[in-house]
Amino acid sequence: MIVDRASTCRHLSATEKSLASSHGAKDEVDEVDELPYSPFSARMRAMIVVITALTGLVSPLSANMYYPSIQTVRDDLHATQSSITWTVTAYVIAMAVFPLVWSNLADQIGRKPVYALSMLIFTCGSIGCALSKTLAALIASRVVQSAGSSAVQGAGAGTISDIYPREKRGTALGIYYLGPLLGPCLGPLVGGYIGEGAGWRWVFWTLAIWGGVMMALALFVLPETHRRLVAAKHRIQQVSIPPHTTLRQNNPLLDIATARYPVIALAMLHFAMLFGAYFTNATGQPLAYENVYALRQGLSGVCFLASGAGCIAGSVSGGRATDLLLRRERLAREAKTPGAPVSVPAEARLRLMWLGSAVFLAAFVACGWLIEHRVSLGAVLVMQFLIGAGMAFTFQSLGGYVIDVFPTMSARITGVQNFWRSAWTAVIVQLFPTMLANIGWGWSYTVMFFLTLVSLSLMQIVVFRGERLRERYGPRESI
């Protein structure tokens, strides 16, 4: 059970409690209870969210800007189709592993230094990609690039949790998730025109410049938001403040072990199946646009605007919807027990998740068969819009849920979520070319449809029985 603002007083530090009782009174307690959740102004919080979203855009952007040029790179480096796929797979594997390390580091030393250091590593990796003369050098540089860019995959959600209370967090997460979700859409568009006009190496030079800009923002503009570090300098509500941990306690293997909890295991399964299908669709679209619909490289990138627009619609509406669900649940419970402290279960955020997943699944399987039968490109683009909208809407519900369950380790649990979804994505992306060659577009998409449908069905256990499962099996935020 997650206890919100109503339980703030019970989480006061011993000093504040003693101060309140020594002055007798109620005025001091009320003053402490009215402390802000975060010391930052609304304008500053908005700026933090924008910088975090732009930094979060780096990882999926660098993964996807490269796709329109992949055939050119294959020819330039004299590689085979199966071997050039490793430049994608290696990137995704690194994207699964490194956020676990970065998220632990962000909870240990703060968000700001992690952002700055990771962007430095990303910039170096991008330069290495631009200068690569062999396939092996390109794969190695892609791993370095992914290691740097993936830090915000976990730390970014932690930053949002640092500055927004629970019932306002969904809207902010909606804006933040625009970065990670728009990357697969904007990347091919930007990368397609750069690759076509200036060559594939300039795709990576552009990313190096972007990384340098993000590093400068992290160093000179972005403030430290970690609640434990901020609480040492400012008077804020003593809620969702991560305890100080040792390096031994900051063990990524302990974070991965959160899958032992039934609610987390089922949430991670749906995250993985959903994102694997979404990412595989993003990697397959350039093939469809260029080989099936005979579009040139730059124009095929424009087609990704459809799923990008869907991501914006789904992310914004999904964030607002989850916040509204929490507020309505709170009001309903307060009406039943007037004047008593009210607890709102984290599962309240999941009640509309099925809607986003259903839209995603229907559009996804339809898109596969439309491409299979070479139906109008316009129909495919409508399906791409719905795929983006359904994916982003579902992401809001699931991402907010796992943070609500682990409020003092938001960066780490988001890193775990990224691990499971990226691990599965690396597998399915590697299998996808073989699936296309053997069973075609329609059945390849249908296989992923059924895998995701199973995970969605299992998630209904969490929606309706999640609170009881947590009370019986955990988690109780004990790791």
Side-chain angles (χ1 to χ4, degrees):
M1 184 91 57
I2 307 297
V3 180
D4 297 296
R5 184 177 177 85
S7 63
T8 299
C9 287
R10 288 181 298 189
H11 294 278
L12 298 175
S13 67
T15 303
E16 288 168 327
K17 285 182 179 177
S18 129
L19 181 61
S21 62
S22 70
H23 285 31
K26 183 172 177 306
D27 290 341
E28 183 66 25
V29 174
D30 288 343
E31 178 190 344
V32 172
D33 191 47
E34 292 303 318
L35 288 174
Y37 182 84
S38 168
F40 303 110
S41 67
R43 181 175 295 181
M44 176 62 76
R45 290 198 304 271
M47 184 196 71
I48 292 170
V49 172
V50 170
I51 292 177
T52 304
L54 289 174
T55 311
L57 180 63
V58 166
S59 180
L61 194 67
S62 57
N64 291 275
M65 277 181 68
Y66 166 67
Y67 293 152
S69 301
I70 196 168
Q71 305 304 321
T72 306
V73 177
R74 181 197 64 184
D75 297 338
D76 196 23
L77 298 182
H78 309 292
T80 63
Q81 185 63 43
S82 59
S83 62
I84 199 66
T85 305
W86 277 104
T87 60
V88 177
T89 304
Y91 186 97
V92 176
I93 291 173
M95 192 169 67
V97 174
F98 283 98
L100 294 169
V101 179
W102 287 119
S103 298
N104 275 271
L105 196 59
D107 276 348
Q108 181 74 15
I109 66 173
R111 321 299 191 199
K112 183 183 177 78
V114 164
Y115 285 7
L117 178 60
S118 65
M119 287 300 99
L120 173 61
I121 293 173
F122 168 76
T123 302
C124 292
S126 298
I127 293 172
C129 290
L131 297 175
S132 294
K133 302 294 185 184
T134 65
L135 180 62
L138 180 60
I139 293 173
S141 296
R142 288 281 283 171
V143 171
V144 175
Q145 190 185 41
S146 181
S149 67
S150 61
V152 189
Q153 299 298 308
T159 300
I160 303 302
S161 181
D162 290 339
I163 61 177
Y164 284 101
R166 190 180 171 214
E167 291 177 7
K168 297 181 180 179
R169 192 177 296 153
T171 302
L173 281 172
I175 298 171
Y176 159 68
Y177 277 130
L178 284 176
L181 291 176
L182 280 177
C185 313
L186 295 179
L189 170 63
V190 178
Y193 278 107
I194 293 176
E196 189 176 42
W200 66 268
R201 295 184 187 277
W202 263 101
V203 171
F204 294 110
W205 285 120
T206 302
L207 290 169
I209 295 169
W210 183 267
V213 171
M214 291 298 101
M215 182 177 66
L217 288 175
L219 284 172
F220 304 114
V221 180
L222 189 70
E224 179 57 68
T225 63
H226 192 293
R227 289 189 63 75
R228 188 182 69 247
L229 301 179
V230 169
K233 299 179 180 179
H234 303 276
R235 285 170 56 81
I236 61 173
Q237 294 177 23
Q238 300 293 302
V239 294
S240 300
I241 296 183
H244 183 74
T245 55
T246 64
L247 287 176
R248 184 177 181 180
Q249 290 172 314
N250 275 359
N251 185 345
L253 295 179
L254 293 177
D255 296 347
I256 294 174
T258 52
R260 69 186 183 274
Y261 301 121
V263 296
I264 298 300
L266 293 174
M268 297 306 169
L269 176 65
H270 192 43
F271 254 129
M273 295 301 106
L274 190 79
F275 190 77
Y278 175 77
F279 200 90
T280 304
N281 171 70
T283 62
Q285 288 311 291
L287 294 175
Y289 297 143
E290 294 174 29
N291 297 340
V292 177
Y293 294 100
L295 300 181
R296 70 177 192 273
Q297 181 178 326
L299 192 57
S300 72
V302 176
C303 293
F304 280 84
L305 289 176
S307 55
C311 282
I312 293 173
S315 195
V316 173
S317 61
R320 292 184 179 277
T322 57
D323 283 349
L324 181 61
L325 286 171
L326 288 178
R327 286 197 289 270
R328 284 186 173 180
E329 182 69 18
R330 172 174 292 286
L331 290 173
R333 295 191 174 215
E334 286 175 345
K336 291 180 180 179
T337 56
V342 172
S343 298
V344 179
E347 287 72 24
R349 201 181 284 276
L350 296 174
R351 298 207 178 133
L352 286 178
M353 181 199 66
W354 67 270
L355 179 61
S357 295
V359 169
F360 173 86
L361 286 170
F364 184 82
V365 71
C367 185
W369 287 106
L370 288 172
I371 296 172
E372 176 79 19
H373 294 291
R374 298 175 180 264
V375 179
S376 164
L377 178 61
V380 172
L381 295 180
V382 170
M383 293 304 106
Q384 288 298 312
F385 174 86
L386 294 174
I387 286 171
M391 171 66 181
F393 193 98
T394 306
F395 236 62
Q396 296 308 309
S397 300
L398 285 173
Y401 173 70
V402 296
I403 291 173
D404 285 352
V405 172
F406 286 107
T408 64
M409 48 174 290
S410 52
R412 292 167 63 187
I413 196 63
T414 306
V416 171
Q417 169 238 113
N418 182 80
F419 171 79
W420 290 114
R421 76 175 194 237
S422 297
W424 168 246
T425 299
V427 173
I428 195 66
V429 164
Q430 192 66 22
L431 291 174
F432 186 59
T434 304
M435 293 169 65
L436 279 183
N438 288 279
I439 60 177
W441 287 93
W443 283 111
S444 295
Y445 274 54
T446 301
V447 168
M448 289 182 280
F449 165 84
F450 278 112
L451 290 173
T452 310
L453 180 62
V454 169
S455 68
L456 173 61
S457 301
L458 291 173
M459 268 303 295
Q460 301 314 301
I461 298 173
V462 179
V463 175
F464 294 105
R465 300 293 182 200
E467 186 176 6
R468 294 182 182 180
L469 287 172
R470 286 191 291 111
E471 289 173 353
R472 183 171 181 180
Y473 301 108
R476 297 180 183 87
E477 220 187 335
S478 58
I479 67 172

